[in-house]
């Protein structure tokens, strides 16, 4: 639900940064986010195949089986993990979807994955991606009331580029939401 304040801030941001605003992908609707994260996993693990959250984060094969959605529309500035108030309308859309999922299933757990482009050192990109994921969690919990116990974070740096390039590319500066409750013990 977009508030007047959030809308006004978004309009001002679009006017102030038209090229960045028009270059970014649109935020999926709350219904689309909800549908993606509520869908059955590609393969449901048997109880003896469940792992710890730590193992889940390290295993791309398991993460690929879990339902997920890329959110490319949160405009992280180059080298920054800050979520500007102008982005709060987008975060509010995510929060609305998560609230609906959690109302139906209190056991739902969402992994927020932070990603970067490949500019800079591997180490600095790793730290930046972790900060981006933590920033989204903090904003979802602090500004929009999503229970923090339902969210976990991880950073993958430049490890999983959407656009394979060593150049700056906004599509790689993103977060991914991944539902993991059916995969962990």
């Amino acid at each position: 639900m977009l508030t007047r304040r959030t809308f006004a801030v978004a309009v001002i941001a679009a006017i102030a940064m038209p090229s960045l605003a028009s270059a970014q992908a649109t935020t999926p609707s709350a219904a689309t986010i909800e549908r993606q994260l509520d869908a059955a996993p590609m393969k449901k693990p048997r109880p003896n195949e469940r792992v710890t959250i730590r193992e889940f984060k390290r295993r791309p094969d398991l993460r690929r089986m879990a339902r997920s959605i890329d959110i490319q529309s949160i405009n992280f500035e180059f080298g920054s993990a800050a979520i500007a108030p102008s982005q709060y309308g987008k975060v509010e859309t995510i929060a609305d979807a998560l609230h609906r999922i959690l109302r139906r299933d209190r056991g739902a757990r969402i992994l927020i994955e932070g990603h970067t482009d490949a500019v800079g050192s591997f180490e600095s990109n790793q730290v930046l991606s972790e900060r981006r994921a933590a920033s989204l969690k903090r904003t979802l919990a602090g500004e929009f009331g999503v229970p923090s116990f339902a969210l976990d974070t991880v950073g993958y740096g430049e490890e999983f580029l959407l656009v394979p390039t060593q150049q700056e590319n906004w599509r790689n500066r993103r977060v991914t939401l991944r539902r993991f409750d059916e995969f962990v013990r």
Side-chain angles (χ1 to χ4, degrees):
M1 178 177 269
L2 194 63
T3 65
R4 283 186 195 161
R5 179 183 176 278
T6 306
F7 179 75
V9 170
V11 169
I12 291 167
I15 292 168
M17 301 184 313
S19 62
L20 184 60
S22 63
Q24 299 297 314
T26 58
T27 302
S29 69
T32 299
I33 295 169
E34 182 181 7
R35 194 170 38 255
Q36 281 292 115
L37 296 177
D38 253 354
M42 292 180 197
K43 178 186 176 219
K44 192 169 181 170
R46 285 177 255 154
N48 65 334
E49 295 174 327
R50 290 178 173 230
V51 297
T52 65
I53 181 61
R54 187 179 189 151
E55 290 173 284
F56 181 80
K57 290 176 183 180
R58 292 183 188 163
R59 296 210 21 215
D61 61 316
L62 289 179
R63 287 196 325 278
R64 277 191 297 274
M65 286 190 268
R67 289 302 177 171
S68 67
I69 188 164
D70 281 321
I71 308 292
Q72 294 177 303
S73 60
I74 295 176
N75 301 338
F76 291 107
E77 293 294 326
F78 181 77
S80 174
I83 298 176
S86 64
Q87 302 297 301
Y88 279 16
K90 298 169 185 178
V91 179
E92 187 174 26
T93 300
I94 297 166
D96 288 346
L98 297 181
H99 280 298
R100 289 194 293 226
I101 290 169
L102 289 165
R103 272 195 294 275
R104 279 193 315 279
D105 183 358
R106 294 285 298 158
R109 297 297 176 263
I110 305 297
L111 182 62
I112 301 170
E113 301 175 355
H115 301 275
T116 65
D117 56 28
V119 177
S121 72
F122 181 86
E123 295 79 16
S124 65
N125 284 334
Q126 180 61 40
V127 170
L128 179 58
S129 67
E130 291 167 9
R131 289 179 43 227
R132 284 179 175 164
S135 180
L136 180 57
K137 178 180 177 176
R138 230 180 356 268
T139 304
L140 284 166
E143 298 292 328
F144 298 100
V146 176
S148 61
F149 69 81
L151 305 172
D152 208 323
T153 63
V154 66
Y156 291 115
E158 59 192 65
E159 193 172 348
F160 300 105
L161 297 174
L162 287 180
V163 179
T165 180
Q166 295 301 304
Q167 306 303 312
E168 180 182 341
N169 191 301
W170 65 267
R171 289 177 191 90
N172 290 322
R173 295 192 303 264
R174 70 192 191 284
V175 291
T176 300
L177 304 176
R178 192 173 307 275
R179 184 146 177 199
F180 68 89
D181 45 283
E182 292 189 341
F183 291 86
V184 297
R185 333 182 184 144

